[in-house]
Amino acid sequence: DAGVIQSPRHEVTEMGQEVTLRCKPISGHNSLFWYRQTMMRGLELLIYFNNNVPIDDSGMPEDRFSAKMPNASFSTLKIQPSEPRDSAVYFCASSLGRGFSYEQYFGPGTRLTVT
Amino acid sequence: DQQVKQNSPSLSVQEGRISILNCDYTNSMFDYFLWYKKYPAEGPTFLISISSIKDKNEDGRFTVFLNKSAKHLSLHIVPSQPGDSAVYFCAARANAGGTSYGKLTFGQGTILTVHP
């Protein structure tokens, strides 16, 4: 299996632009998570999907952030408009079953820089 | 409010010596604890875990200790190897039976450097 696939790996954009991050979970996994990593706060959960349905989006910073999962093999995280403080590494992870099983498989991340 | 804290941003150790990474938590509802390891340009990978009903779990060179009364856990790596150089994240999971459905809360991470 190819593991969790994320694209792009790096994104540099100007403040105010729309940014879309993409994730393909491991085939057969039915839970998907988006995390953000910063130096100050470490890894923070942004949103959790189970069977393509958003279960918990309490970690989404504000209305500028939105996430979708139109099918079991694809999810997007969109930031519109982007701001410099959104600069971080964004990880997608997937797992089997509902909720947080012991092993979440992480993708390589997307490093976002907003200038 | 940071419920899981790793107060040491970095740790430097000589090859062959013991590495001790520490983690403190504040939420008494946490019942399961995990350590993840992350290399540059890669996502975190699961390393070792411990249930709150235990105080120690060992897997090869890696041992995790849990002190519930102190709300503290630590990861010991013996002997340390240069390939262990990575960022280590501590994570905690709340009781799955509650409304939190077992959400993982991560610490900020500790950068471990093992010198040859």
Side-chain angles (χ1 to χ4, degrees):
Chain A
D1 198 314
V4 176
I5 299 172
Q6 290 187 247
S7 64
R9 295 294 307 274
H10 301 273
E11 177 79 38
V12 180
T13 190
E14 291 183 348
M15 183 173 63
Q17 297 297 307
E18 176 180 297
V19 175
T20 300
L21 311 182
R22 297 171 177 79
C23 174
K24 176 178 168 52
I26 293 173
S27 177
H29 283 190
N30 58 3
S31 288
L32 184 139
F33 315 87
W34 281 101
Y35 288 91
R36 177 171 66 177
Q37 182 195 1
T38 60
M39 289 294 292
M40 290 297 295
R41 300 181 67 83
L43 273 167
E44 299 176 279
L45 177 70
L46 299 177
I47 188 168
Y48 154 54
F49 290 89
N50 179 254
N51 291 328
N52 313 335
V53 176
I55 304 298
D56 183 352
D57 64 355
S58 60
M60 296 286 264
E62 46 198 274
D63 293 344
R64 297 185 298 106
F65 285 70
S66 62
K68 294 182 179 179
M69 192 163 186
N71 56 62
S73 60
F74 184 66
S75 176
T76 59
L77 178 68
K78 185 178 292 186
I79 309 172
Q80 165 65 16
S82 58
E83 296 182 2
R85 60 190 167 123
D86 301 330
S87 297
V89 181
Y90 291 81
F91 289 102
C92 176
S94 70
S95 71
L96 284 169
R98 176 178 172 84
F100 290 76
S101 64
Y102 302 156
E103 284 201 48
Q104 294 181 32
Y105 295 83
F106 284 79
T110 295
R111 180 173 294 278
L112 173 65
T113 303
V114 183
T115 60
Chain B
D1 180 33
Q2 201 77 15
Q3 296 187 59
V4 178
K5 292 183 180 179
Q6 295 175 255
N7 292 316
S8 298
S10 63
L11 175 68
S12 183
V13 172
Q14 202 70 28
E15 181 179 7
R17 302 278 190 149
I18 184 171
S19 295
I20 300 177
L21 297 104
N22 295 303
C23 179
D24 297 295
Y25 62 96
T26 57
N27 189 343
S28 58
M29 296 294 287
F30 289 146
D31 69 343
Y32 203 85
F33 304 88
L34 308 89
W35 285 93
Y36 282 77
K37 177 179 180 180
K38 182 188 174 306
Y39 291 118
E42 296 182 11
T45 55
F46 171 75
L47 183 61
I48 192 170
S49 63
I50 188 167
S51 166
S52 60
I53 62 173
K54 295 185 176 181
D55 55 17
K56 177 182 175 181
N57 187 28
E58 189 173 354
D59 183 3
R61 298 185 296 112
F62 301 90
T63 303
V64 57
F65 295 91
L66 175 63
N67 183 334
K68 284 183 292 183
S69 60
K71 291 190 174 65
H72 176 84
L73 66 155
S74 60
L75 174 68
H76 292 212
I77 306 173
V78 183
S80 302
Q81 299 173 355
D84 296 329
S85 297
V87 179
Y88 289 79
F89 289 99
C90 168
R93 189 199 73 180
N95 292 331
T99 57
S100 61
Y101 57 81
K103 175 178 178 176
L104 282 181
T105 302
F106 286 84
Q108 305 96 314
T110 297
I111 301 170
L112 173 66
T113 304
V114 181
H115 298 283

